[in-house]
Amino acid sequence: MKKIDLRSDTVTLPSPTMREAMLRAELGDDVFGDDPTVNQLQTVAAERFGKEAALLVPSGTMANLVSVLVHCPRGTEAILGDKSHTFIYEGGGIAAFGGVHPHTLPNQEDGTIRLEDIRSAIRVENDHFPRTRLISLENTHNKCSGTPLSPGYIASVSEIAREHRLKLHVDGARIFNAAVAQDLDVSDLVKDVDSVSFCMSKGLAAPVGSVICGTKEFIYEARRIRKALGGGMRQAGVLAAAGLFALGDIVPQIQRDHDNAKKLAKGIAQIPWLHVDHSKVKTNIVYFELADTPLSADKVVARSDKMGVRFLATSARQFRMVTHYGVDTRDIQKTLDVLESIMK
Ligand SMILES: *Cc1c(COP(=O)(O)O)cnc(C)c1O
């Protein structure tokens, strides 16, 4: 029996054609800059994002860490959302390895940070204060229902950054989802941004890797830091080939994941004891809540797992499902059937 795995879009396996592309990739030593497939991926990604240069790194976590380390000297401050991936899920790396002081501000339900909050968080020059260097946004916002940030909002934050000579980074682990949801090119979402990272291993269904894009100068520094962190990879073209394949062949299929997420949310709304605000579902992430029943969220997840459908309990009363390349419309119906039989 096929397990339906909705825990995350990171569970996707490379398709046979993606594996073929990996098998056929021309390779070289990328630490010497000699891997033609890595070089091609970096060129294609930079073009796609409208940036001068790009760099392949092993993970989204390293992509954000490298970016923050380039932008922020030790002892300076980065402004970021209190629900951001970098603040919650990256092991405190920016503080541990960069000596960067995180200044968190409340993420609103739509993943934004209020402009007035950002303005008043920026430090004035004073012996007592760390110096603010960076604002970091997340698009789409994982913990905030996978909501995409609009180009207008990003432009407003960028204006504040320019005014105060700060850098603006976007954690775009799922930025292709943000672009598809708004019928835009990714380049429209990062025009006013100094650096952006995206994951090849989430909705793009590649096995490993993230890419950072920015100016030539920024990427030069990022490459040095990547090496120091142990992220210089040799024949990394096998991974880059999967990324190139994904940019060409998987991105056009992302709309299907969004349609499936909406279907899922609409179905869940019909099931007793489960609550979902399906107007919030704009990309491939569905959060929903368990009403006050004797059944715990963990029990629901365990029962569902036994019936072939896996997803996460994100708190005592909240669940998350993520649609992706490995899930089709029939799987969505089966998931709804399983949930219904558990909740009845
Ligand atoms: C998954 C994710 C990352 C980190 O990616 P890894 O490759 O798992 O290290 C960063 N930011 C966001 C928003 C993510 O969802």
Side-chain angles (χ1 to χ4, degrees), residues 10 58-62 64 85-86 90 138-142 171-174 199 201-202 209-210 320:
T10 55
S59 69
T61 300
M62 194 186 284
N64 288 331
H85 195 280
T86 298
E90 294 173 15
E138 187 173 313
N139 198 10
T140 64
H141 203 293
N142 172 25
D171 174 355
R174 296 188 179 84
C199 284
S201 58
K202 297 209 164 143
S210 280
R320 188 186 80 164

Side-chain angles (χ1 to χ4, degrees), residues 193-231:
V193 155
D194 296 291
S195 58
V196 54
S197 57
F198 71 92
C199 284
M200 310 197 302
S201 58
K202 297 209 164 143
L204 300 195
V208 180
S210 280
V211 176
I212 313 170
C213 305
T215 62
K216 276 196 184 125
E217 196 185 358
F218 170 84
I219 292 297
Y220 178 84
E221 296 301 324
R223 193 178 167 89
R224 288 184 62 91
I225 291 175
R226 179 189 68 172
K227 189 76 186 78
L229 292 173

Side-chain angles (χ1 to χ4, degrees), residues 5-240:
D5 197 340
L6 297 160
R7 287 174 302 168
S8 176
D9 43 11
T10 55
V11 303
T12 43
L13 300 176
S15 66
T17 39
M18 184 184 275
R19 285 180 198 237
E20 243 168 68
M22 296 170 77
L23 190 67
R24 277 203 304 265
E26 235 186 286
L27 304 177
D29 186 332
D30 180 53
V31 174
F32 287 117
D34 280 351
D35 190 302
T37 312
V38 171
N39 292 338
Q40 193 193 344
L41 170 68
Q42 291 173 168
T43 304
V44 167
E47 251 171 44
R48 195 84 172 247
F49 281 79
K51 299 292 173 200
E52 287 173 13
L55 184 72
L56 172 67
V57 293
S59 69
T61 300
M62 194 186 284
N64 288 331
L65 179 59
V66 165
S67 300
V68 174
L69 263 51
V70 174
H71 291 311
C72 301
R74 293 189 76 79
T76 61
E77 192 168 72
I79 291 175
L80 71 177
D82 62 351
K83 295 198 178 76
S84 65
H85 195 280
T86 298
F87 182 61
I88 299 180
Y89 295 117
E90 294 173 15
I94 64 169
F97 309 118
V100 179
H101 194 49
H103 190 157
T104 55
L105 298 174
N107 274 121
Q108 304 303 304
E109 278 197 355
D110 61 0
T112 60
I113 304 169
R114 284 200 188 106
L115 299 178
E116 59 267 34
D117 288 352
I118 296 176
R119 273 195 206 97
S120 51
I122 297 168
R123 310 285 192 157
V124 297
E125 181 65 23
N126 180 302
D127 282 358
H128 295 80
F129 298 148
R131 286 178 168 143
T132 313
R133 280 296 166 89
L134 177 70
I135 305 168
S136 179
L137 298 174
E138 187 173 313
N139 198 10
T140 64
H141 203 293
N142 172 25
K143 287 283 259 186
C144 297
S145 308
T147 311
L149 299 178
S150 70
Y153 173 74
I154 297 164
S156 306
V157 176
S158 165
E159 217 168 280
I160 298 174
R162 301 287 161 255
E163 203 179 300
H164 295 270
R165 298 212 191 144
L166 309 179
K167 300 293 182 187
L168 177 58
H169 173 70
V170 168
D171 174 355
R174 296 188 179 84
I175 198 159
F176 284 96
N177 296 85
V180 168
Q182 301 178 88
D183 203 12
L184 297 168
D185 288 325
V186 280
S187 60
D188 298 327
L189 292 171
V190 297
K191 265 195 200 109
D192 316 302
V193 155
D194 296 291
S195 58
V196 54
S197 57
F198 71 92
C199 284
M200 310 197 302
S201 58
K202 297 209 164 143
L204 300 195
V208 180
S210 280
V211 176
I212 313 170
C213 305
T215 62
K216 276 196 184 125
E217 196 185 358
F218 170 84
I219 292 297
Y220 178 84
E221 296 301 324
R223 193 178 167 89
R224 288 184 62 91
I225 291 175
R226 179 189 68 172
K227 189 76 186 78
L229 292 173
M233 299 180 287
R234 302 294 175 172
Q235 285 73 37
V238 282
L239 305 177

